[in-house]
């Protein structure tokens, strides 16, 4: 934040130095001496955080000769979100996955929405965007013909605000099993008066 101030209207002496106080009287109080400067850029602050700023003016060689002006409230600007955790995944059926997630640990602003991505496990692709949800939703049921039974998929979630987005790592889940499909008829051969041979192949889709 950029802080600028005027000298006291009634200094009552020679000003020796100015001091900037952030959040005075709190556990996060910070004091910065700036000499006779009357403007200063305070950096190293937290994004999208409200600070109380006060200026202290001190007289030269005067005991207890410091006076503090009124507090001014200011909020730092937004920054890109950070530390988006991986989503929690639960297979609900052969073609459905429940996705649940939490907001990023450091939103650094107002989270305006989430984007969900899916890809086949092991794929090097960037993933398919499967949905965009508003900031009040933290769960989504992925259901569709694109999902195959007993197959591994990977999901990730991205949170975003006005400055950018934070993407989680990928996380794996396997859909549930389904009944086998496309079982060919067996091959049956008589090998004697009292015995036959039966041969078959696995189903084309084990599921």
């Amino acid at each position: 934040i950029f802080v600028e101030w005027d000298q006291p209207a009634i200094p009552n002496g020679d000003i020796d130095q100015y001091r900037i106080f952030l959040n005075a009287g709190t556990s996060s109080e910070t004091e910065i001496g700036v000499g006779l400067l009357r403007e200063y850029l305070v950096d190293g602050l937290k994004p999208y955080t409200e600070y109380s700023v006060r200026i202290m003016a001190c007289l030269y060689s005067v005991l207890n000769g410091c006076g503090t002006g009124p507090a001014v409230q200011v909020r730092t600007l937004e920054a890109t979100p950070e530390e988006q955790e991986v989503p929690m995944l639960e297979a609900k059926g052969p073609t459905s996955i429940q996705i649940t997630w939490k907001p990023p640990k450091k939103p650094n602003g107002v989270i305006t929405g989430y984007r969900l991505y899916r890809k086949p496990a092991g794929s090097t692709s960037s993933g398919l965007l499967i949905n965009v949800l508003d900031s009040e939703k933290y769960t989504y049921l992925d259901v569709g013909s694109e999902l195959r039974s007993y197959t591994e998929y990977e999901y990730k979630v991205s949170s975003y605000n006005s400055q950018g987005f934070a993407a989680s790592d990928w996380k794996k889940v396997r859909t549930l099993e389904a009944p086998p499909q496309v079982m060919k008829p067996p091959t049956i051969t008589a090998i004697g008066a009292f015995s036959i041979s039966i041969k078959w192949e696995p189903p084309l889709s084990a599921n």
Side-chain angles (χ1 to χ4, degrees):
I1 56 177
F2 179 74
V3 186
E4 186 178 19
W5 61 93
D6 295 324
Q7 65 180 13
I10 305 176
N12 293 326
D14 294 328
I15 300 296
D16 174 56
Q17 64 171 312
Y18 293 100
R19 304 191 73 80
I20 301 173
F21 285 87
L22 301 180
N23 297 339
T26 70
S27 60
S28 61
E29 177 179 317
T30 302
E31 180 180 350
I32 305 170
V34 296
L36 291 175
L37 296 175
R38 285 195 286 122
E39 61 180 40
Y40 192 79
L41 180 65
V42 183
D43 55 13
L45 303 178
K46 296 180 179 179
Y48 202 67
T49 300
E50 190 170 277
Y51 290 89
S52 171
V53 183
R54 303 182 75 172
I55 302 298
M56 174 185 284
C58 297
L59 298 177
Y60 179 74
S61 297
V62 176
L63 184 64
N64 297 324
C66 295
T68 305
V72 176
Q73 305 296 322
V74 63
R75 184 187 292 275
T76 51
L77 300 179
E78 292 191 358
T80 302
E82 298 176 271
E83 299 183 22
Q84 177 64 56
E85 295 182 322
V86 295
M88 293 162 281
L89 307 175
E90 182 182 0
K92 291 292 187 178
T95 59
S96 59
I97 300 292
Q98 184 77 47
I99 311 161
T100 308
W101 62 92
K102 297 178 181 179
K105 289 184 177 180
K106 295 180 180 179
N108 294 337
V110 178
I111 298 300
T112 54
Y114 297 93
R115 297 178 181 179
L116 302 178
Y117 295 86
R118 180 189 69 222
K119 68 177 182 178
S123 170
T124 58
S125 74
S126 58
L128 173 69
L129 176 64
I130 59 173
N131 211 332
V132 179
L133 302 112
D134 63 42
S135 60
E136 300 301 317
K137 293 185 178 180
Y138 305 103
T139 185
Y140 176 73
L141 183 63
D142 186 19
V143 181
S145 58
E146 301 90 352
L147 296 176
R148 300 183 61 185
S149 60
Y150 203 62
T151 301
E152 280 193 333
Y153 294 94
E154 295 182 57
Y155 289 83
K156 73 175 181 180
V157 58
S158 291
S159 54
Y160 57 94
N161 62 18
S162 65
Q163 297 302 303
F165 66 91
S168 73
D169 292 331
W170 291 97
K171 187 175 181 180
K172 288 183 182 180
V173 66
R174 186 190 294 274
T175 53
L176 299 183
E177 294 183 358
Q181 293 179 307
V182 192
M183 188 72 183
K184 293 182 178 180
T187 301
I188 303 175
T189 305
I191 58 175
F194 302 100
S195 59
I196 57 175
S197 171
I198 306 175
K199 295 182 180 179
W200 62 92
E201 296 178 0
L204 293 181
S205 180
N207 291 331

